[in-house]
Amino acid sequence: MNRFFSTTPLWHALPAAAALLLATAGTAPARAAAQHSLPGNWLQLSVTRGTAQSADTRGTLLLCDPPQGHSHATEACAQLADVGGDPRALPAAGNTVCALVYAPVTARASGRWNGRPIEYAETFGNACELGARTGAVFALDDMETAMPGR
């Protein structure tokens, strides 16, 4: 008795597999395109405890037209407006004294301000230093309870 291998099921499965692959591959660019099409000024903010990428990361989307995203959005948007949206240019608080305890935190911002792309990442010695250097911008409420001494 001769048995023949039929390729018919394989040929029927290929279009479905290709459609699944295209649908899966298309989701990441769609999300990225959706964020890049946000109107006005906005930054995706995150703060990570430690020196390496860890699971202890907090973040939010700060929208500034109108201010929303975290409980200090109005103040954060005003501070960013004063420096053209550049977190590097935020003025340091002159009256803050921080303990000399090394507990690094990394702040990141990615977004658009007045049509320009913004990318920022900086590691601070501890959460107090982060707050003294960046004001309300990275003052995420859940970070205050997760990082004592902030």
Side-chain angles (χ1 to χ4, degrees):
M1 176 179 216
N2 288 339
R3 294 194 181 217
F4 294 99
F5 178 74
S6 173
T7 59
T8 305
L10 179 63
W11 287 109
H12 288 289
L14 283 177
L20 179 63
L21 181 64
L22 288 174
T24 305
T27 57
R31 271 187 249 143
Q35 275 195 340
H36 287 295
S37 65
L38 287 172
N41 299 323
W42 61 273
L43 294 175
Q44 178 67 47
L45 305 171
S46 68
V47 177
T48 304
R49 185 188 327 202
T51 57
Q53 191 71 336
S54 73
D56 195 6
T57 298
R58 306 295 197 286
T60 191
L61 178 64
L62 174 65
L63 301 170
C64 289
D65 298 316
Q68 54 189 329
H70 62 73
S71 61
H72 307 285
T74 302
E75 186 180 357
C77 290
Q79 289 172 350
L80 285 165
D82 289 344
V83 295
D86 183 5
R88 286 174 193 79
L90 290 166
N95 59 352
T96 302
V97 177
C98 295
L100 296 176
V101 175
Y102 186 66
V105 292
T106 301
R108 289 183 177 81
S110 178
R112 298 194 73 71
W113 198 272
N114 293 334
R116 310 179 278 112
I118 300 292
E119 292 295 328
Y120 168 80
E122 188 171 350
T123 300
F124 298 88
N126 56 45
C128 178
E129 289 179 16
L130 167 67
R133 274 290 293 121
T134 63
V137 176
F138 291 96
L140 309 178
D141 284 341
D142 54 351
M143 291 307 293
E144 292 170 4
T145 57
M147 297 181 181
R150 168 98 202 265

